[in-house]
Amino acid sequence: MDKQYDVIILGAGPAGMTAAIYGSRAGLSCAMIEMAAPGGKMVKTYEIQNWPGIKEISGADLAYQMFEHSTQWGAEYLYGDVTEIRDGEIKQVICRDGTVYQGKTVIIATGTRERLLNIPNEQKLTGRGVSYCAVCDGSFFKDQPVTVIGGGNSALEESLYLTQFASKVTVVIRRDVFRAEPVIQKAMEDNPKIEVIRSHVPVEIVEKDGKVGGIVLKNVNDGTLTTLTTSAVFPYIGADPCTEFARALPILDERGYVIVNDKMETACRGIYGAGDVTVKNLRQVVTAANDGAIAAQQAFHQLKG
């Protein structure tokens, strides 16, 4: 394409859309490239209660409001499945259909992709009891039984977090030992609200009245099936950053996350990271928006001196 942008933003989640707001308000020509619906994981979140200034809103509604805001000052929304970034004074963003976009700077805000259980009803009930974020959705299951799948640090930490709300937290692990650090295991074992089911794997999520009503577990040793009553299922079997297109650049860690400094700069001048795709501790809508704002401001300073 002949058109050249000041900033090309990869991804239209909260980080990408905030970057578009800050960039376009600063007078930069901006394009957001997204291969799915704008909003990222917000679209899959039933309700959000921790976005400052709004006590409660559905994830889809907040995503729509952010999207309208992000294009208010002229940022373009483009569909594309990005397969490669070519670095240089002018960056080239190449999409699967052969389209090439040119930009003076690039902000990578493509987020992460949860590892799915790949069992019946998982995707159907996402946002209706199946959740990949206890911090986001745990409070919706106050005084109800919930189930966490996984035996690593994240699974156990989220299990402990959920005990603030749930009547009971059942942790299901494939093996008979945990992968989590001993101090986290000890905290879990000392919590009377947590029960552990070992040597089992989930095989189906049970639907009841359009929501999660239970989960079917299989014993890995003898194959027997057990149905567990639960109001929510939180899979924590890992997440992977969506950065396949950036593998040739020296900006990723060993897991594929974008390495940035406090200005959201990567090792490649003019390429920034923002949101869940970066190396960070807390992945939330509010922290993603923070990253997007910083990245766009740094792009502005680079371009305007």
Side-chain angles (χ1 to χ4, degrees):
M1 294 184 63
D2 293 330
K3 186 168 183 178
Q4 184 182 111
Y5 297 92
D6 291 323
V7 185
I8 296 179
I9 302 162
L10 309 185
M17 290 192 287
T18 304
I21 292 170
Y22 273 74
S24 57
R25 284 186 74 246
L28 304 179
S29 59
C30 300
M32 285 186 294
I33 303 178
E34 173 61 66
M35 63 176 292
K41 289 187 177 65
M42 288 191 295
V43 177
K44 297 181 180 180
T45 304
Y46 180 61
E47 287 182 348
I48 294 174
Q49 295 180 328
N50 54 3
W51 179 252
I54 300 178
K55 293 180 180 178
E56 185 174 298
I57 188 171
S58 75
D61 285 344
L62 183 57
Y64 178 75
Q65 290 181 23
M66 277 193 185
F67 176 67
E68 286 208 316
H69 195 178
S70 70
T71 55
Q72 181 176 353
W73 286 282
E76 294 183 37
Y77 178 75
L78 306 171
Y79 174 81
D81 181 5
V82 177
T83 58
E84 185 182 357
I85 300 174
R86 293 179 184 169
D87 193 16
E89 184 175 348
I90 301 299
K91 323 296 181 187
Q92 291 188 323
V93 175
I94 301 166
C95 296
R96 192 171 301 281
D97 64 1
T99 303
V100 178
Y101 297 100
Q102 297 187 33
K104 298 174 184 176
T105 61
V106 171
I107 298 174
I108 300 173
T110 44
T112 61
R113 183 185 303 110
E114 299 92 354
R115 295 175 192 163
L116 303 181
L117 298 171
N118 290 315
I119 59 176
N121 287 329
E122 178 182 14
Q123 296 194 51
K124 179 181 180 181
L125 297 178
T126 294
R128 294 178 172 81
V130 175
S131 171
Y132 303 90
C133 180
V135 175
C136 306
D137 300 327
S139 61
F140 299 122
F141 303 100
K142 188 174 178 61
D143 299 325
Q144 300 176 59
V146 302
T147 303
V148 174
I149 310 297
N153 283 346
S154 294
L156 270 59
E157 287 169 352
E158 300 305 314
S159 298
L160 290 164
Y161 178 83
L162 287 166
T163 59
Q164 300 176 80
F165 314 105
S167 58
K168 178 182 179 182
V169 179
T170 302
V171 179
V172 180
I173 60 174
R174 175 187 295 271
R175 302 188 296 170
D176 59 354
V177 295
F178 287 97
R179 293 179 287 107
E181 296 172 6
V183 64
I184 301 175
Q185 292 187 47
K186 180 67 165 57
M188 180 205 67
E189 292 164 358
D190 290 344
N191 194 304
K193 279 192 171 184
I194 298 179
E195 177 184 338
V196 178
I197 297 179
R198 304 171 189 269
S199 303
H200 280 71
V201 293
V203 294
E204 181 181 358
I205 297 173
V206 179
E207 181 179 358
K208 182 180 180 181
D209 299 327
K211 300 179 180 180
V212 170
I215 187 168
V216 181
L217 305 174
K218 183 175 76 171
N219 188 309
V220 297
N221 296 319
D222 59 23
T224 56
L225 299 178
T226 304
T227 300
L228 178 70
T229 299
T230 188
S231 296
V233 176
F234 292 87
Y236 280 97
I237 58 174
D240 299 307
C242 301
T243 54
E244 295 84 357
F245 53 83
R247 297 292 180 185
L249 301 176
I251 63 173
L252 308 180
D253 72 1
E254 66 280 358
R255 297 178 300 165
Y257 287 94
V258 179
I259 302 169
V260 296
N261 61 17
D262 61 350
K263 297 178 181 179
M264 299 299 123
E265 297 168 322
T266 70
C268 295
R269 177 173 169 78
I271 298 180
Y272 304 85
D276 288 5
V277 77
T278 65
V279 178
K280 63 191 306 183
N281 291 321
L282 183 62
R283 292 181 168 88
Q284 292 283 279
V285 176
V286 69
T287 61
N290 167 79
D291 295 350
I294 293 172
Q297 277 295 104
Q298 288 305 124
F300 171 80
H301 289 309
Q302 177 189 325
L303 293 170
K304 302 299 181 181

